[in-house]
Amino acid sequence: DRYLDFVYQPMRDADGAVSAILVLGVDVTERRRAEEARRASEARLQAIYSSMYEYIGLLSPDGMVLDCNDASLQFGQIRREDVIGMKFWETPWFTHTAGAPELLRQSLEHAALGQFIRYELPLNRPSGDTVVFDFSLHPVQNSDGEVLYIVPEARDITELKRAQAALMQSEKLAAVGRLSASIAHEINNPLEAVTNLLYLIDRASDLPESLRTFTHMAQQELARVSQIATQTLRFYRQTTARNAVRVSDLLDQVLKLYQGRLTSVGVAVVREYHESPPLVCFDGELRQVFTNLIGNALDASREGGKMIVRERKATDWHTGHKGVRIVVADQGHGMSKETVSRIFEPFFSTKGITGTGLGLWVTLEIIKKHEGKIKVRSSNAPEHHGTVFSIFIPDRELEKA
C-alpha cells in the first residue's frame, strides 16, 4: 500500500473563471510509516513509564514537575494534576519528611548544572511509615551540553536495607555465639580441676565441720557455674533434627541462666509445670524462644514483682491439634496497644540502643516453623500492669495418643 497526499488547486483564466483544476499527488508513504512508528514507540514508552514499579518523573531545569508515573502518584497518594507545575521539593512526596525539601532543592541546583546526583533517601509516607529509596537526579542534555530536562528516579530499597541489617546482626550473633562457646569450653577445664580439689578436701578426715560446710557451698556454686557453661555450649550447638524433650526442662535451663539477674532485680519465679509428655521439637530453637520471652519479662520488671512460667498439655480448639501451651507472665511496666501491635515487626524495639528489634521477630518465625501460635496481652495501667505471652506448640505424637 502507498499513501498519497493530494492537493487540488483551481486554475483561473483572465476573467477569473475556473478553467481547470490542478491535481498534485505527493507520495507520503515513508513519512506516514515514520509517523506511525513514532507514535507506536511513544505508546510503548508511555506504557513502560506508567507501569514501572520504580518512581520516575520529568522536571524542567528549574525543578518544575512536568510529568510523573503512576507508581510515584500511588506512593504520595496524590493525583497527577496535584503536582504538575509545582516545584519538585514543594510536592507532597517530601513535605512529610523533615529536611527533605531543602535537600531536594539543593540537589536540583547541582543537577541543573549537569551533575548526576545519587544517594539514599528515607521518606515518610502520609501514613507515617518510612521508606528508604535509592534516589537519583539525571540531567538530560543536548549536544551543546545544555540541560533540557531533569529525570528524578527512586527505587524502594527498604526490604534490602532490612535484609542487610538482619544479615549483619546474624553475623554478629554467630560471632558472639562462637566466642561464648569457646569461652565456655575453656572454663570447663579449670572448673573440673577445682571441683576435684574440693572433693578431695571434703574427703579429708581431719577437716573441721565448719570448714566442711563451706566446701559444700563452694561445690554447689561450682556446679551452678558448670551448668551455665554447659548451657552456653548447648545454645551454640543447636540440633538440626527434632528431639523429644520436656518443655519444663527447657524452661528450667533458661531460668538457671537468668538466676543471677532474677535475684538481683528481686523477681520471684512461680513455676507451674503440669508434667506434659515430651514434645517433639527443635529444642535449641525453643530454648531461644524462652530466652527471649523470659529476658524481655526481666527487662520489664526492674522494680521486682512476680514472674509466672507455666506449661501444660493443651488443645487448639480452632484446629483440634493437641500440643503444649507455655505461658510467661510478668508484673512489669506493660505495653501500650500501639506497641503491642508492632512488637513482632523486625527491627522494632522499645529498648533504645540496647535493643536490636529482632528477638520477638525471631521468636515468631520459630513458632511458625513449629506450626504453633503466639498471643500477647499487656496493660500499662498504673494499678494493673504487666504482660502475658501465651504459646501453643502442636505435637503430632500427642495427637496419635
Side-chain angles (χ1 to χ4, degrees), residues 173-213:
L173 293 175
V176 171
R178 289 191 294 269
L179 178 62
S180 300
S182 176
I183 294 174
H185 177 74
E186 294 301 323
I187 287 176
N188 272 333
N189 293 329
L191 276 180
E192 291 180 1
V194 175
T195 301
N196 291 334
L197 290 173
L198 284 173
Y199 174 77
L200 294 175
I201 293 173
D202 187 58
R203 297 286 293 176
S205 58
D206 57 345
L207 184 69
E209 286 301 318
S210 58
L211 294 181
R212 197 179 301 279
T213 301

Side-chain angles (χ1 to χ4, degrees), residues 1 48 80 117 168 202 208 288 321 364 377:
D1 292 336
I48 295 172
R80 184 172 277 101
I117 308 295
M168 185 179 296
D202 187 58
Q288 182 179 357
H321 294 160
L364 179 61
R377 290 185 291 111

Side-chain angles (χ1 to χ4, degrees), residues 3 26-27 60 66 80 114 140 164 170 173 200 202 236 250 269 275 282 296 308 329 334 346 359 367 370 380 396:
Y3 294 93
V26 181
D27 190 337
S60 63
L66 303 177
R80 184 172 277 101
V140 179
Q164 289 175 344
S170 177
L173 293 175
L200 294 175
D202 187 58
Y236 178 64
L250 296 179
V269 177
E275 296 302 322
F282 295 99
N296 286 345
I308 298 176
I367 293 172
H370 286 79
N380 57 358
R396 305 307 180 192

Side-chain angles (χ1 to χ4, degrees), residues 60-315:
S60 63
D62 62 354
M64 183 180 294
V65 179
L66 303 177
D67 198 6
C68 56
N69 70 343
D70 293 342
S72 60
L73 295 173
Q74 292 171 5
F75 171 79
Q77 298 179 7
I78 52 181
R79 300 172 302 171
R80 184 172 277 101
E81 53 267 29
D82 294 334
V83 293
I84 299 299
M86 290 184 65
K87 295 296 185 181
F88 191 48
W89 58 86
E90 295 176 351
T91 60
W93 290 308
F94 309 108
T95 54
H96 299 282
T97 306
E102 179 61 22
L103 175 63
L104 263 295
R105 189 187 63 78
Q106 295 176 3
S107 299
L108 282 166
E109 289 180 357
H110 293 289
L113 298 175
Q115 297 182 27
F116 174 74
I117 308 295
R118 183 178 181 182
Y119 47 79
E120 288 184 5
L121 179 64
L123 291 178
N124 296 330
R125 292 180 183 270
S127 61
D129 297 334
T130 301
V131 182
V132 182
F133 290 103
D134 178 3
F135 179 78
S136 65
L137 293 171
H138 188 281
V140 179
Q141 299 168 295
N142 60 16
S143 58
D144 296 328
E146 179 186 1
V147 176
L148 303 178
Y149 304 102
I150 298 174
V151 178
E153 185 178 0
R155 182 167 60 92
D156 188 343
I157 58 171
T158 307
E159 293 303 322
L160 175 62
K161 299 296 291 184
R162 288 179 177 176
Q164 289 175 344
L167 178 60
M168 185 179 296
Q169 186 67 23
S170 177
E171 291 175 349
K172 289 180 181 179
L173 293 175
V176 171
R178 289 191 294 269
L179 178 62
S180 300
S182 176
I183 294 174
H185 177 74
E186 294 301 323
I187 287 176
N188 272 333
N189 293 329
L191 276 180
E192 291 180 1
V194 175
T195 301
N196 291 334
L197 290 173
L198 284 173
Y199 174 77
L200 294 175
I201 293 173
D202 187 58
R203 297 286 293 176
S205 58
D206 57 345
L207 184 69
E209 286 301 318
S210 58
L211 294 181
R212 197 179 301 279
T213 301
F214 293 145
T215 59
H216 288 170
M217 293 175 62
Q219 286 175 322
Q220 291 174 356
E221 291 303 308
L222 278 176
R224 192 162 70 87
V225 173
S226 179
Q227 287 176 347
I228 294 173
T230 302
Q231 188 61 32
T232 302
L233 281 171
R234 286 180 181 174
F235 270 93
Y236 178 64
R237 299 172 181 171
Q238 294 191 13
T239 60
T240 57
R242 295 178 186 262
N243 295 313
V245 295
R246 291 192 177 277
V247 174
S248 57
D249 291 341
L250 296 179
L251 290 168
D252 279 339
Q253 291 169 9
V254 175
L255 288 170
K256 286 178 182 177
L257 285 179
Y258 284 115
Q259 187 58 53
R261 284 185 59 193
L262 288 166
T263 303
S264 63
V265 177
V267 174
V269 177
V270 178
R271 293 174 171 84
E272 298 180 359
Y273 300 158
H274 296 274
E275 296 302 322
S276 301
L279 178 69
V280 178
C281 63
F282 295 99
D283 53 315
E285 294 184 356
L286 280 191
R287 195 183 294 113
Q288 182 179 357
V289 168
F290 301 153
T291 301
N292 290 336
L293 296 184
I294 292 175
N296 286 345
L298 259 173
D299 291 338
S301 305
R302 300 187 181 278
E303 298 181 1
K306 182 169 62 175
M307 181 189 301
I308 298 176
V309 181
R310 179 185 303 129
E311 68 87 22
R312 61 180 175 84
K313 186 177 177 180
T315 301

